[in-house]
Amino acid sequence: MSQETRVLFNADCPICNTEICHYRAYTEARGLDVAYDDLNGNALSEWQIDADEAAKRLHVTQNGEVYMGVAAFAALWSTMPRYRWLAKFARLPGLWQLANVIYDRVLAPWLYRKHLKRAVAAANSQGASNP
C-alpha cells in the first residue's frame, strides 16, 4: 500500500458508496493523497483482511496505522481541509465515546445486516437464472 492514506469500503453498499464517492471526488479534485479500495475487488490481500470482516466497518490506513470505525472516519476527515473540523469535533471527549457506541452498536451492524441481505439476494438471483 503505497499511498499515505488508503480507504477500504464496500462499494456494494449504497450508503457507503455514496459517502465514499463524495470523499473521493473531493480528494481527487484537490490532488490529495488518498486512495480508495472497494472490498469487493482485489485489494483485500493487500489489506490482509477477509471480505466479511472488511464489510463490518470502514477501514483506513494512514502512516502505517490501520484505523477502523469512527477512528477510520476521523483519520480520513483529517486529510481533507473541509472536514478537519469534523475530525476534531468527533475526537472530543464524551462525543468520541458516544460516536463509537452509535457506530459500533447501531450503524455498522445495521449496514452489515443490509450487506448480508444483498449478498443472499444476489446469490438467490444467480441461482434462479442458472437452473
Side-chain angles (χ1 to χ4, degrees):
M1 291 189 234
S2 61
Q3 300 279 339
E4 184 177 355
T5 299
R6 191 166 209 102
V7 179
L8 180 64
F9 72 104
N10 185 358
D12 286 349
C13 169
I15 295 169
C16 305
N17 193 51
T18 299
E19 183 170 8
I20 297 303
C21 283
H22 168 75
Y23 296 145
R24 180 185 303 197
Y26 179 87
T27 57
E28 286 176 356
R30 285 152 186 82
L32 301 175
D33 195 18
V34 181
Y36 299 87
D37 295 322
D38 176 6
L39 67 86
N40 302 293
N42 298 323
L44 288 178
S45 62
E46 290 182 48
W47 282 84
Q48 300 177 342
I49 187 172
D50 66 47
D52 190 59
E53 200 57 38
K56 290 181 179 178
R57 59 185 27 87
L58 181 71
H59 291 74
V60 170
T61 184
Q62 192 174 69
N63 301 322
E65 293 284 329
V66 177
Y67 301 94
M68 296 175 283
V70 175
F73 281 102
L76 177 58
W77 293 333
S78 71
T79 67
M80 300 182 285
R82 178 188 289 169
Y83 295 96
R84 284 189 185 128
W85 72 270
L86 190 54
K88 290 176 185 176
F89 185 70
R91 290 181 176 123
L92 289 174
L95 186 57
W96 180 253
Q97 290 82 354
L98 179 63
N100 278 283
V101 167
I102 291 170
Y103 184 84
D104 290 338
R105 296 197 180 160
V106 179
L107 296 176
W110 178 73
L111 289 170
Y112 180 65
R113 284 191 304 275
K114 294 281 196 186
H115 165 73
L116 294 177
K117 286 180 183 179
R118 279 190 305 276
V120 168
N124 288 341
S125 71
Q126 286 180 352
S129 64
N130 294 326

